[in-house]
């Protein structure tokens, strides 16, 4: 007979030390893949601008704010201009 932990506060009915008892399965979560490796630095800046412009109605006050995000995009553009020349 399998052992039962009587201290547990929740009993799902599964006995984990009984091989005949069905074990819970975990589903793999979907991953969001943007394909950033394949993008050039200019394309990444364009994508950042698109994200900033589109916004998201579900997050009216994002962190960082859109203004701060815009400042980061401008900084990235400036650094790219210094590294690779103006586009």
């Amino acid at each position: 007979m399998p052992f039962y932990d009587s201290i547990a506060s929740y009993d799902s009915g599964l006995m984990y030390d009984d091989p005949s008892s069905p074990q819970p399965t975990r589903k793999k979560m979907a991953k969001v893949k943007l394909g950033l490796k394949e993008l050039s630095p200019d394309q990444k800046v364009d994508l950042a601008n698109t994200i900033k412009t589109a916004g998201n109605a579900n997050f009216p006050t994002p962190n960082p704010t859109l203004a701060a995000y815009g400042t980061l995009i401008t900084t990235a553009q400036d650094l790219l201009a210094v590294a690779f020349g103006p586009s």
Side-chain angles (χ1 to χ4, degrees):
M1 170 134 187
F3 295 105
Y4 177 73
D5 183 6
S6 61
I7 299 172
S9 59
Y10 173 74
D11 179 15
S12 66
L14 296 176
M15 296 182 193
Y16 291 98
D17 53 352
D18 180 5
S20 64
S21 182
Q23 301 299 313
T25 57
R26 290 188 171 187
K27 293 183 180 179
K28 289 187 176 184
M29 294 184 68
K31 293 182 182 179
V32 176
K33 295 185 179 182
L34 298 176
L36 295 176
K37 281 184 177 181
E38 292 81 26
L39 297 179
S40 70
D42 287 330
Q43 290 173 322
K44 290 176 185 175
V45 170
D46 290 341
L47 177 61
N49 275 321
T50 302
I51 292 169
K52 177 182 170 256
T53 305
N56 187 336
N58 294 322
F59 298 98
T61 56
N63 186 13
T65 63
L66 291 178
Y69 190 64
T71 302
L72 293 171
I73 293 170
T74 303
T75 303
Q77 287 171 325
D78 293 342
L79 291 172
L80 287 173
V82 168
F84 300 106
S87 34

